[in-house]
């Protein structure tokens, strides 16, 4: 069901979509296949609710968000299992997905009593000045399938605490997670119309949201193609587009690294979530002195990974048939480019039907190859070689993306140089490229994003979902001219 103006309703057309489990093809749930007409009512509901919600004191908004976060936490087990069933990631990660939203909920609820602006001193007597945050209005929230609870959590808790109202479109692949996420807000007593859910496809619901005149901003996480199209549409309509797109993240392993630790990190970063994270470590750049040792250990670990249904295995399926096809093609591309396939490379049936693909490692990958440049979004890791720190950093930086990067080294000076020179929104030292926490901003540079960040902290989602208004108040009762009547310069 859609959730519009506080009620659960079908699509106006009555059409539906099935959501299936990528591990076995079972139907997980059936949701409305909505269209423009449904988006219209949802936007109208959000517009109507905006006046009251924006004037609701932020701490009161925070109390409701706190309740929603508590409800998500109470339902963590069942929601985590739902994530695994609908999206395919292994259960520990399904639970982590929910936990990330819970963390964000608690954090943003607290922002209700903080959300600070600035106060400072005027150059003139009897005058004060401050900056305050205010909401933008109605946002369209378009989320991906790979973190079907966490990413809606990042966006929705932040947008709501700022006083915006929302129309939320979850991915076509994970709409049931979207329904259950929304239910937590309903059960927490969020006033009607503040959060509206419209399920359906990107071309039918997403496009209608982006071009809707009643929508003041779009927050999107997903592919580069779609993100760039959203930026272009929003640009023409003069509304903000907060887009979070692809990555081609690398781990740099130096000659002085703890190689075993780096292998653990590369396995987790490369094959966690079956490589379907925008932060996945799809490249590993190895200092030539440890290349052999790392490669042997890495391959051994990759081969031993247990593939299967995420409820019991170590690596789950890919999301759908198109993804399986794409990953298969990239393996072919890598072979043709002259990279050496060290393990994996094939779809497998796993333990049933389902979109399983073997953990795959390519060696002898050159920085310019397509498999080292393009986002595959699957369990495929490319190993590259470098001769020193400088060359390693250049290889890591040598892609169009800039989301996450990592260095393993025991040399404090190398870590400092890497921290300064790596061109990405996130830099990890002696840790993998994945594992961000909710209280610092999340987001990338270059083709990954244009600077609107997710999650918390200075420069995080509060800056995306609120705008700053500056207020000057003169209580002198006479005309005072800044710069002209200022004592010091007269
Ligand atoms: C994503 O890959 O789309 O750091 C988000 C991480 C997670 C979030 C990833 N906390 O990998």
């Amino acid at each position: 069901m859609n959730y519009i103006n506080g009620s659960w309703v079908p699509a106006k057309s009555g059409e539906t979509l099935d959501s299936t489990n990528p591990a076995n093809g079972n139907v997980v749930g059936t949701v409305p296949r909505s269209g423009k007409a449904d988006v219209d009512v949802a936007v109208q509901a959000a517009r109507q609710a905006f006046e009251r919600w924006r004037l609701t004191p932020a701490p009161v908004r925070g109390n409701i968000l706190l309740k929603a976060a508590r409800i998500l936490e109470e339902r963590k087990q069942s929601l985590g299992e739902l994530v695994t069933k609908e999206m395919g990631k292994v259960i520990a990660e399904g639970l982590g997905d929910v936990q990330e939203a819970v963390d964000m909920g608690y954090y943003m609820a607290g922002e209700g009593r903080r959300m600070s602006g600035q106060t400072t001193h005027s150059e003139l007597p009897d005058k004060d000045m401050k900056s305050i945050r205010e909401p933008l209005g109605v946002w369209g929230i378009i989320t991906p399938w790979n973190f079907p609870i966490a990413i809606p959590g990042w966006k929705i808790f932040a947008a709501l605490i700022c006083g915006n109202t929302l129309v939320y479109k979850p991915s076509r692949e994970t709409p049931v997670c979207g329904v259950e996420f929304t239910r937590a807000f309903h059960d927490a007593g969020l006033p009607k119309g503040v959060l509206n859910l419209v399920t359906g496809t990107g071309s039918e619901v997403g496009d209608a949201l982006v071009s809707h005149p009643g929508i003041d901003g779009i927050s999107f996480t997903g592919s580069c193609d779609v993100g760039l199209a959203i930026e272009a549409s929003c640009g023409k309509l003069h509304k903000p587009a907060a887009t979070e797109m692809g990555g081609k993240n690398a781990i740099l392993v130096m000659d002085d690294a703890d190689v075993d630790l780096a292998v653990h990190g590369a396995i987790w970063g490369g094959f966690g979530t079956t490589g379907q994270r925008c932060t996945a470590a799809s490249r590993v750049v190895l200092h030539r002195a440890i290349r052999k040792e790392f490669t042997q250990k890495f391959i051994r670990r990759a081969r031993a990974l247990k593939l299967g249904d995420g409820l019991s295995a170590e690596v789950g399926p890919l999301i759908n048939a198109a993804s399986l096809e794409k990953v298969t093609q990239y393996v072919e591309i890598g072979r043709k480019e002259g990279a050496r396939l060290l393990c994996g490379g094939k779809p497998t049936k796993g333990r049933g039907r389902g979109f399983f693909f073997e953990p795959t490692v390519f060696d002898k990958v050159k920085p310019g190859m397509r498999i080292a440049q393009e986002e595959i979004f699957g369990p495929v890791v490319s190993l590259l070689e470098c001769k020193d720190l400088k060359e390693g950093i250049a290889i890591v930086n040598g892609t169009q993306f800039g989301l996450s990067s990592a260095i393993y080294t025991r040399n404090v000076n190398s870590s400092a140089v890497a921290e300064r020179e790596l061109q990405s929104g996130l830099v990890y030292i002696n840790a993998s490229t994945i594992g961000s926490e909710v209280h610092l901003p999340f987001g990338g540079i270059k083709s990954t994003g244009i600077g609107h960040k997710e999650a918390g902290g200075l420069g995080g989602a509060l800056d995306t979902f609120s705008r700053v208004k500056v207020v000057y108040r003169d209580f002198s009762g006479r005309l005072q001219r800044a710069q002209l009547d200022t004592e010091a310069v007269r």
Side-chain angles (χ1 to χ4, degrees):
M1 288 288 162
N2 284 335
Y3 181 70
I4 298 177
N5 211 21
S7 303
W8 297 97
V9 292
K12 282 193 177 296
S13 67
E15 285 183 51
T16 57
L17 286 171
D18 284 343
S19 174
T20 53
N21 182 332
N24 52 32
N26 294 344
V27 173
V28 176
T30 300
V31 297
R33 176 174 185 164
S34 317
K36 192 176 171 318
D38 305 291
V39 171
D40 281 345
V41 219
V43 173
Q44 205 188 343
R47 286 237 76 86
Q48 264 167 22
F50 179 58
E51 270 312 291
R52 253 185 83 188
W53 185 243
R54 116 185 135 81
L55 296 175
T56 302
V60 176
R61 296 198 292 255
N63 288 344
I64 301 174
L65 299 190
L66 184 72
K67 268 193 206 141
R70 274 207 191 112
I71 292 172
L72 290 172
E73 191 172 38
E74 278 159 24
R75 299 177 188 166
K76 180 174 169 181
Q77 187 63 32
S78 63
L79 282 172
E81 286 169 16
L82 174 64
V83 169
T84 295
K85 282 188 195 140
E86 195 175 30
M87 180 275 164
K89 64 175 67 176
V90 299
I91 184 66
E93 291 183 32
L95 294 168
D97 202 309
V98 180
Q99 187 60 48
E100 202 157 345
V102 171
D103 294 343
M104 188 66 180
Y106 284 149
Y107 178 85
M108 282 295 157
E111 281 295 346
R113 292 186 185 272
R114 196 175 314 114
M115 257 208 296
S116 323
Q118 224 181 336
T119 58
T120 181
H121 300 270
S122 171
E123 64 191 37
L124 293 161
D126 297 331
K127 182 181 171 189
D128 59 18
M129 49 206 272
K130 65 183 175 186
S131 66
I132 53 175
R133 289 180 185 274
E134 56 180 29
L136 276 77
V138 180
W139 281 79
I141 305 284
I142 304 176
T143 56
W145 45 263
N146 69 334
F147 279 83
I149 302 288
I151 292 182
W154 285 359
K155 294 181 190 296
I156 288 171
F157 280 114
L160 289 180
I161 197 63
C162 292
N164 301 282
T165 56
L166 312 176
V167 179
Y168 159 42
K169 181 217 163 286
S171 163
R172 189 258 169 273
E173 301 291 346
T174 52
V176 181
C177 285
V179 169
E180 292 312 316
F181 179 79
T182 304
R183 195 183 307 283
F185 290 81
H186 172 78
D187 294 348
L190 189 73
K192 65 178 190 180
V194 171
L195 170 64
N196 304 276
L197 167 82
V198 181
T199 58
T201 66
S203 56
E204 288 163 358
V205 176
D207 288 357
L209 263 181
V210 171
S211 58
H212 202 292
I215 290 281
D216 299 303
I218 294 287
S219 171
F220 165 84
T221 298
S223 73
C224 275
D225 290 351
V226 176
L228 290 177
I230 289 177
E231 284 173 8
S233 304
C234 287
K236 279 193 203 120
L237 297 165
H238 191 57
K239 50 181 150 188
T243 52
E244 187 56 53
M245 299 175 282
K248 191 72 192 177
N249 317 289
I251 295 177
L252 174 57
V253 188
M254 294 303 297
D255 50 350
D256 50 31
D258 177 337
V259 173
D260 291 320
L261 186 66
V263 168
H264 283 303
I267 290 283
W268 172 226
F271 304 120
T273 330
T274 319
Q276 302 173 109
R277 290 196 191 212
C278 47
T279 51
S282 52
R283 298 181 295 152
V284 182
V285 182
L286 301 165
H287 189 285
R288 60 162 74 124
I290 49 83
R291 189 176 79 88
K292 258 207 170 117
E293 181 192 353
F294 179 95
T295 305
Q296 274 168 7
K297 290 179 168 167
F298 186 61
I299 293 300
R300 202 176 312 137
R301 288 280 312 274
R303 283 204 182 111
L305 289 169
K306 236 174 49 191
L307 197 62
D309 188 317
L311 290 174
S312 55
E314 287 170 312
V315 179
L318 289 166
I319 188 69
N320 57 24
S323 169
L324 194 76
E325 181 55 32
K326 178 181 170 193
V327 175
T328 308
Q329 273 174 19
Y330 267 107
V331 171
E332 206 35 50
I333 290 167
R335 274 212 188 98
K336 284 204 182 117
E337 285 178 310
R340 188 170 63 175
L341 186 66
L342 290 185
C343 74
K346 291 190 304 296
T348 110
K349 290 276 178 226
R351 269 186 246 128
R353 295 178 292 160
F355 308 115
F356 296 99
F357 199 93
E358 296 169 345
T360 300
V361 181
F362 274 111
D363 188 17
K364 305 238 183 275
V365 178
K366 297 279 168 286
M369 288 180 181
R370 284 183 63 191
I371 55 166
Q373 289 291 332
E374 297 172 18
E375 189 176 42
I376 300 175
F377 229 60
V380 182
V381 175
S382 291
L383 303 182
L384 298 95
E385 187 184 304
C386 69
K387 62 175 188 301
D388 56 22
L389 180 66
K390 194 161 174 228
E391 189 187 43
I393 289 175
I395 294 173
V396 174
N397 288 343
T399 75
Q400 60 163 317
F401 299 108
L403 181 53
S404 183
S405 53
I407 181 169
Y408 282 82
T409 178
R410 280 186 278 216
N411 182 325
V412 67
N413 295 353
S414 301
S415 80
V417 172
E419 168 184 326
R420 190 184 62 202
E421 299 300 330
L422 287 171
Q423 295 166 0
S424 53
L426 309 164
V427 171
Y428 289 89
I429 294 161
N430 291 328
S432 191
T433 54
I434 68 182
S436 67
E437 301 181 30
V438 301
H439 44 307
L440 279 178
F442 179 95
I445 60 171
K446 303 202 280 190
S447 291
T448 303
I450 44 176
H452 304 271
K453 302 266 178 159
E454 308 269 8
L458 203 65
L462 289 185
D463 288 349
T464 299
F465 291 111
S466 67
R467 65 182 161 217
V468 165
K469 177 186 273 175
V470 173
V471 181
Y472 296 104
R473 175 169 47 195
D474 190 318
F475 50 97
S476 69
R478 59 181 186 277
L479 174 69
Q480 296 201 92
R481 301 169 302 175
Q483 292 89 41
L484 276 60
D485 299 334
T486 300
E487 201 69 40
V489 296
R490 240 190 263 153

